[in-house]
Amino acid sequence: MSAVRKGDWFRQMGVSPSDEDLNEMKKVFMSLPSYEKESISTNDIGQLIKVLHMKRSPEQIRVYQVYWENGFGDRLNLDDFLIRAAVMHDTGELMLTHAKQIDKDGDGRISAKEFKELLEAVKNYDPNFGHRTYEDFVAEADTNKDGLVSVEELAAWIGKYTKVLKGDSYRESGVPPSETELEQMKNIFKGMPSYKNDSISINDIDNLTAELGMKRSTEQLATVQDYFDKNFEGRFKLSDFLESAAVVHDRGEFAEKLALRADQNGDGLICEKEFADILNVTVAYAPEIAGTTYDTLLKQADTTKDGLVSVDELAVWFNKHIQLK
C-alpha cells in the first residue's frame, strides 16, 4: 500500500484528493478490524482518523462518533466515507454533504437540532469554523426572511465562512484581511491542539502556518520556533498573533511591529543580540534580509551617527529592506 497523504493536508492546501488518493483511503478503510459488508463500526473511527494522519483529540473523535451514531447508526458505510473524502479539501462542500444527509424528513430545511449536530461534527474537522448559535445562523442565513433556513441557504451561508485563507496573499497584494478573515484566523489559532490561556505551544506553529496557507520550509519554521522558545517561554500569544496578522499587508506597520518586538529590554535601542534574534525569525517572512550583520545594520540604519540603532531607526530600515510585495 502506498503512503497515505495527511488527511488535513487537502483542507490546508485547498487541493482535492486525486483518484489515487481516494483509492489509498479506500484501502485504509477496508483494512480496519471491523470492516465487513462495506462498512466499519463507529468504534473504528478513531483508528481511521489516525491512519489518515488527521490530528484529533479523543474528545473530538468521540463527538464525531456520537454524531454518526445518533444520525446513522453504529456503522460507517464505505460509500458515505468516500463521498466525504472526495470533498475533504472544501469545508463548505463537506458541510453541505452532511446537511443534505441529516435532513431526514426531506423537507429541505435545517432544524436547530440538525444544525447543532452538523456544527459539532464540522468543527471537529475544521477548527477554522468557529462557534455559532442557531439563532445567529438563522439571522444570517435566512435570506428570504421566512424564519427558516433551506439547504440552499445553508450552502450560501457556508460560503461566507469557509474561504481558504492564503496568508501570504495579504503580504503580496497589500490588501488587508477583512474582519471576517481575522475572525477566521482567530478561530484557527484557537483550534490548535495546544491552545490554552490564549496562547499556543511553539510546536504548533507549523500547523498554524499550514492552516493559514503560508508555505514555509522546515528550516524557516525552526527559526520561528527557536525565537519564541528563547524569548517567550515557548508560547505564542493570541494577542501577538492577531496584532501581526492585522498589519501583515502593510510594510510600514509591519516594520514598526517588528522593531518594537525586537526591543526585548524596552530601552528603545536595538543591541546586537536583539537584532540577531529578530533577524532569525524575520527571514522566515523576508529571506531577502538573511545574512545581514549588526555592523551592516549600523552603517545603514544609524542615521543620527551616534553608534546606536533606535527602535525607530530599525523600523525605517525594515521598511526599506523588506520586500512585502
Side-chain angles (χ1 to χ4, degrees), residues 68-304:
W68 195 264
E69 289 166 359
N70 287 343
F72 311 103
D74 61 0
R75 305 289 295 180
L76 172 59
N77 294 327
L78 175 59
D79 285 346
D80 287 331
F81 165 70
L82 290 176
I83 287 171
R84 286 160 173 76
V87 296
M88 67 194 310
H89 64 292
D90 187 324
T91 303
E93 285 297 320
L94 179 66
M95 193 171 182
L96 189 57
T97 298
H98 280 298
K100 289 178 178 177
Q101 203 158 11
I102 66 171
D103 181 26
K104 298 182 180 64
D105 56 12
D107 68 352
R109 306 292 182 183
I110 306 300
S111 70
K113 180 176 181 295
E114 290 169 339
F115 177 73
K116 182 179 179 181
E117 292 175 354
L118 176 62
L119 187 63
E120 288 303 311
V122 174
K123 279 166 60 181
N124 273 346
Y125 178 70
D126 186 357
N128 181 11
F129 210 93
H131 175 73
R132 293 187 174 64
T133 66
Y134 183 71
E135 290 73 22
D136 289 341
F137 165 62
V138 172
E140 293 177 8
D142 179 22
T143 54
N144 63 7
K145 304 305 177 185
D146 62 355
L148 302 168
V149 178
S150 67
V151 171
E152 291 75 18
E153 286 174 326
L154 171 65
W157 179 79
I158 289 169
K160 292 171 55 180
Y161 293 101
T162 56
K163 176 183 176 182
V164 177
L165 293 169
K166 298 295 181 184
D168 288 329
S169 68
Y170 305 109
R171 179 170 57 84
E172 293 163 356
S173 67
V175 176
S178 67
E179 289 299 319
T180 297
E181 288 166 336
L182 286 172
E183 185 67 20
Q184 281 184 286
M185 294 181 201
K186 181 179 179 180
N187 287 333
I188 288 173
F189 189 99
K190 295 174 75 171
M192 292 294 106
S194 64
Y195 178 77
K196 65 178 181 179
N197 299 327
D198 286 334
S199 69
I200 63 172
S201 164
I202 57 171
N203 296 324
D204 259 343
I205 286 178
D206 57 344
N207 292 324
L208 178 65
T209 54
E211 289 279 1
L212 294 173
M214 303 170 72
K215 296 181 180 180
R216 299 292 180 268
S217 69
T218 302
E219 293 75 17
Q220 288 174 323
L221 290 169
T223 62
V224 176
Q225 290 172 326
D226 185 60
Y227 171 75
F228 280 96
D229 191 28
K230 288 180 178 178
N231 301 294
F232 299 95
E233 301 180 342
R235 304 291 295 181
F236 186 20
K237 293 181 180 179
L238 175 60
S239 57
D240 288 335
F241 165 68
L242 292 176
E243 187 176 82
S244 297
V247 300
V248 71
H249 66 288
D250 186 302
R251 185 168 58 188
E253 288 193 56
F254 188 66
E256 289 179 16
K257 298 295 183 186
L258 280 177
L260 286 169
R261 182 166 291 175
D263 183 22
Q264 296 170 30
N265 62 11
D267 65 356
L269 300 173
I270 307 300
C271 69
E272 186 170 359
K273 179 184 179 301
E274 288 173 330
F275 178 66
D277 286 344
I278 198 66
L279 183 69
N280 281 339
V281 70
T282 305
V283 295
Y285 303 90
E288 61 273 10
I289 63 173
T292 303
T293 65
Y294 190 69
D295 286 341
T296 299
L297 176 72
L298 278 172
K299 291 176 184 177
Q300 296 177 346
D302 180 20
T303 55
T304 60

Side-chain angles (χ1 to χ4, degrees), residues 23-38:
N23 192 47
E24 292 303 323
M25 293 182 205
K26 180 178 179 179
K27 291 178 182 177
V28 166
F29 188 99
M30 295 174 68
S31 71
L32 294 175
S34 64
Y35 179 78
E36 63 177 358
K37 297 180 180 179
E38 298 193 337

